[in-house]
Amino acid sequence: MEPAARRGRPRDEQADTRIIDAALELLLDRGYDQFAVDEVAARAGVAKTTLYRRWPTKGHLIVAVVARIQDSVPVEYSGDVRADLTDYLNAITDGLNRMRQVGRPVASGDRSAGLVAEVAAAAARHADVGAAVQAMFDRRNALVLTLLEQARERGELRADADPEVLFDQLAGALYYRLLVTGRPLDAAYVDRLVAGALDGVTA
Amino acid sequence: MEPAARRGRPRDEQADTRIIDAALELLLDRGYDQFAVDEVAARAGVAKTTLYRRWPTKGHLIVAVVARIQDSVPVEYSGDVRADLTDYLNAITDGLNRMRQVGRPVASGDRSAGLVAEVAAAAARHADVGAAVQAMFDRRNALVLTLLEQARERGELRADADPEVLFDQLAGALYYRLLVTGRPLDAAYVDRLVAGALDGVTA
């Protein structure tokens, strides 16, 4: 045990949780542009220095919030890969639609990308935010790749199935509609997507 | 013929071309952040008012530059949908990799998204830029959807093939790697992607 850990209260895990909760709440209220790290510290009841030591920029804190949203979706192979993928992609769709509305009037009808686009842009601008975003997706997506490999081992998917490409097709279609074409995402679309990706289009 | 068209030199098409050429060149030199509309006007040798009348913001001008890059890729059905999609996606990949490097030292090794992420973020922030981006992709993607429908009519694709979903899977995978996971894009990946999307993964 390292010396710092013996000094009493468990490090910062509770503070971390309060900070992320406050950040998510503020983000949903205000949107990315009006999101101020100092206000998160105030809402969470922690010193600014505590917050900045853990997440040095707004970009880092937002990545942590997105990771929290992602981690609320469990990933486990049930023996039915079609059902598992459908459940997973519906959960992603719900999360993306929620982030799409961040900081916008609910009835605005705006289908633009909101928070996800801001995270992508911050990742492109700042190498360290980019590394955090990539690490977050690597960690999460590895869970789904493992699920697809299990399905292949059990013969649910063909032996020549390419899990990485399959996952890119599925997640990619959702993000493409969110970030690029602005098309809507819903459960009916997820059904079409899973069918298309699993069954292909050639005879 | 409308009165304005009788006043002499053909409207602004040559000026438009010079402006877009200058904008593309400046964008490749400087990147999005350092891109200044006034400097484009100077390089193109046109009045600022001419430029702003046509493209009222930096976002609008960038969308026009991206449209120019897109329009350099022809889309026509040859009778071999697998070859056509491979060619098309390789051209998109080349364009995305070029935009990925915009404003960055070539050898930086940075795989972040650069210009494409900035366009997505601008589209999310400004409704009129978002509308321009969506219109641009609607117009371009309609060409590929027509190609896929032709392939389906000729029996190259199954009758139940879903062109919209198929295209989302293909383009989506490329943009997802560019904007979200930061994974590399190359011809070998395009081959895996086309095989996965066309042939599916179920027996």
Side-chain angles (χ1 to χ4, degrees):
Chain A
M1 194 181 280
E2 295 187 8
R6 274 194 260 120
R7 274 189 215 146
R9 57 188 177 143
R11 197 183 144 281
D12 277 309
E13 291 202 2
Q14 292 187 357
D16 284 4
T17 300
R18 284 207 310 280
I19 291 167
I20 299 292
D21 286 347
L24 176 57
E25 186 186 283
L26 185 63
L27 198 61
L28 293 173
D29 283 357
R30 299 279 176 81
Y32 186 89
D33 273 355
Q34 305 296 318
F35 178 93
V37 175
D38 288 357
E39 193 172 344
V40 174
R43 285 194 182 201
V46 302
K48 292 180 197 176
T49 48
T50 302
L51 199 162
Y52 282 107
R53 202 159 43 221
R54 185 84 175 81
W55 295 287
T57 69
K58 173 172 163 172
H60 291 86
L61 183 54
I62 299 283
V63 171
V65 172
V66 174
R68 157 72 65 86
I69 295 172
Q70 287 186 332
D71 285 339
S72 67
V73 180
V75 180
E76 203 169 337
Y77 180 49
S78 73
D80 180 346
V81 71
R82 194 175 296 258
D84 291 345
L85 287 175
T86 302
D87 288 348
Y88 181 72
L89 296 174
N90 275 317
I92 300 297
T93 292
D94 290 345
L96 291 176
N97 282 331
R98 194 174 172 204
M99 287 194 265
R100 189 190 285 234
Q101 290 301 334
V102 160
R104 296 179 188 284
V106 170
S108 74
D110 187 325
R111 297 198 311 230
S112 58
L115 178 61
V116 184
E118 297 293 351
V119 170
R125 273 182 224 130
H126 310 292
D128 57 343
V129 175
V133 168
Q134 292 180 18
M136 170 173 74
F137 279 95
D138 282 351
R139 184 176 62 78
R140 280 296 298 179
N141 293 352
L143 301 177
V144 186
L145 292 177
T146 298
L147 185 158
L148 295 175
E149 280 155 14
Q150 289 172 307
R152 188 175 58 185
E153 278 161 26
R154 294 214 211 169
E156 265 210 290
L157 301 181
R158 289 201 313 266
D160 70 347
D162 186 332
E164 182 185 0
V165 164
L166 175 59
F167 183 73
D168 286 348
Q169 290 174 63
L170 294 166
L174 301 184
Y175 279 84
Y176 182 66
R177 291 171 76 88
L178 182 81
L179 290 173
V180 178
T181 64
R183 300 274 177 185
L185 294 172
D186 57 23
Y189 181 78
V190 166
D191 285 344
R192 289 165 60 196
L193 177 60
V194 171
L198 292 184
D199 302 331
V201 291
T202 45
Chain B
M1 195 183 282
E2 295 187 10
R6 275 194 261 121
R7 274 189 215 146
R9 56 185 180 147
R11 194 181 146 284
D12 278 308
E13 291 201 4
Q14 291 188 356
D16 284 3
T17 300
R18 283 207 310 281
I19 290 166
I20 298 291
D21 286 347
L24 177 57
E25 186 186 283
L26 184 64
L27 198 60
L28 293 173
D29 284 356
R30 299 279 176 81
Y32 187 89
D33 273 355
Q34 305 296 319
F35 178 94
V37 175
D38 287 357
E39 192 171 345
V40 174
R43 285 193 181 201
V46 302
K48 291 180 199 176
T49 48
T50 302
L51 199 162
Y52 282 107
R53 201 159 43 221
R54 186 84 175 78
W55 295 286
T57 69
K58 173 172 164 173
H60 291 86
L61 182 54
I62 299 283
V63 172
V65 172
V66 175
R68 157 74 63 87
I69 295 172
Q70 287 186 333
D71 285 340
S72 67
V73 180
V75 181
E76 204 169 336
Y77 181 51
S78 73
D80 180 345
V81 71
R82 194 175 296 259
D84 291 345
L85 286 174
T86 302
D87 289 347
Y88 181 72
L89 296 173
N90 275 317
I92 300 296
T93 293
D94 290 345
L96 291 177
N97 282 332
R98 193 174 172 204
M99 288 194 264
R100 190 190 285 233
Q101 290 300 334
V102 161
R104 297 177 187 283
V106 171
S108 74
D110 187 325
R111 296 198 312 229
S112 58
L115 177 61
V116 184
E118 297 292 352
V119 170
R125 272 183 224 131
H126 309 292
D128 56 342
V129 175
V133 168
Q134 292 180 17
M136 169 174 74
F137 279 95
D138 282 352
R139 184 175 62 78
R140 280 297 297 179
N141 293 353
L143 302 177
V144 186
L145 292 178
T146 298
L147 185 158
L148 295 175
E149 280 155 14
Q150 289 172 307
R152 188 175 58 185
E153 278 162 26
R154 293 215 211 169
E156 264 210 290
L157 301 182
R158 288 201 314 266
D160 70 347
D162 186 334
E164 182 184 1
V165 165
L166 175 59
F167 183 72
D168 286 347
Q169 288 173 67
L170 294 166
L174 301 183
Y175 279 85
Y176 182 67
R177 290 170 76 88
L178 182 80
L179 290 171
V180 177
T181 64
R183 300 275 178 185
L185 293 172
D186 57 24
Y189 181 78
V190 167
D191 285 343
R192 289 165 61 196
L193 177 60
V194 171
L198 292 185
D199 303 331
V201 291
T202 46

